[in-house]
Amino acid sequence: MKLKVACRKIYNYFRYDLKEIAFPSSLPDPPHIKKRGKLTWKQRFLVLKEASRLYAASWVRDIGPELRPNDYKKEEVEDKSSGEKGPTKEREPSTIEDLAIAARGGMETLRPALQRVYMTRASAYRDALRSFIEGYQEGIQQVMEKREDSKSQPGEDTPKRPR
């Protein structure tokens, strides 16, 4: 009887536990996660077709509206909606866009763009430091004026000590 129980435990160990130790199963998904259904063969083909098209397009230097028309349609709609609100004017390129364009041109065009960025940051830092110093000096002047007023008017606030 004991041999039969021992054999069953060894068998169950090899069958269940050892398999879990060697090849652990992943944790189950949390309950709020919904499983996505399997794709049909047609959907798989469309996904593969779009992915291969985008992969081939990624080898091109400039990915424009002809390669990603869906992305550019959204931008055109946003531009039209913003254009209706005010007069039509071209937006100024951001600093990152400016640097990206300059980087494509090489070191000759990148150096002036970086100098502009650093000079802009330096002037902003200088202005912030200047305004901080002015505010600090105004605060010191106010404190000194309050002290002078309190010294010129002997008040009831300061008790006199006997010597």
Side-chain angles (χ1 to χ4, degrees):
M1 190 70 173
K2 291 181 181 180
L3 182 63
K4 188 175 179 181
V5 171
C7 287
R8 188 180 324 122
K9 288 192 176 202
I10 291 173
Y11 174 75
N12 286 340
Y13 175 78
F14 279 108
R15 185 172 178 195
Y16 300 110
D17 298 336
L18 189 62
K19 183 174 82 172
E20 188 65 29
I21 292 170
F23 306 105
S25 60
S26 62
L27 294 173
D29 289 332
H32 67 278
I33 301 293
K34 303 223 185 309
K35 290 187 178 182
R36 294 184 358 196
K38 291 187 176 183
L39 297 176
T40 63
W41 283 104
K42 184 177 181 180
Q43 291 171 335
R44 288 181 187 179
F45 175 73
L46 292 175
V47 168
L48 181 63
K49 181 179 168 185
E50 180 71 12
S52 60
R53 185 183 68 79
L54 286 175
Y55 176 73
S58 71
W59 287 91
V60 178
R61 189 171 189 127
D62 181 30
I63 296 179
E66 63 277 353
L67 297 174
R68 291 195 177 173
N70 296 336
D71 296 343
Y72 284 90
K73 284 180 185 175
K74 292 176 186 174
E75 290 180 9
E76 289 172 4
V77 170
E78 290 173 2
D79 290 342
K80 287 180 183 176
S81 65
S82 64
E84 293 171 358
K85 293 177 183 175
T88 57
K89 53 184 171 182
E90 294 183 24
R91 66 176 185 88
E92 199 171 300
S94 70
T95 306
I96 295 173
E97 292 171 347
D98 191 25
L99 286 176
I101 293 169
R104 287 183 186 160
M107 196 60 187
E108 296 81 24
T109 57
L110 185 61
R111 184 176 305 236
L114 285 174
Q115 285 176 343
R116 276 195 309 273
V117 168
Y118 287 127
M119 292 305 290
T120 304
R121 286 188 177 180
S123 66
Y125 177 74
R126 185 185 64 229
D127 294 342
L129 191 60
R130 188 175 292 150
S131 67
F132 172 76
I133 290 172
E134 289 173 4
Y136 189 77
Q137 288 174 345
E138 289 174 6
I140 288 177
Q141 286 175 356
Q142 289 175 357
V143 169
M144 295 304 281
E145 289 173 0
K146 286 181 183 178
R147 283 190 183 170
E148 288 175 3
D149 290 343
S150 64
K151 285 182 182 177
S152 64
Q153 297 176 357
E156 303 161 0
D157 296 339
T158 56
K160 295 183 180 179
R161 288 187 249 162
R163 290 187 182 185

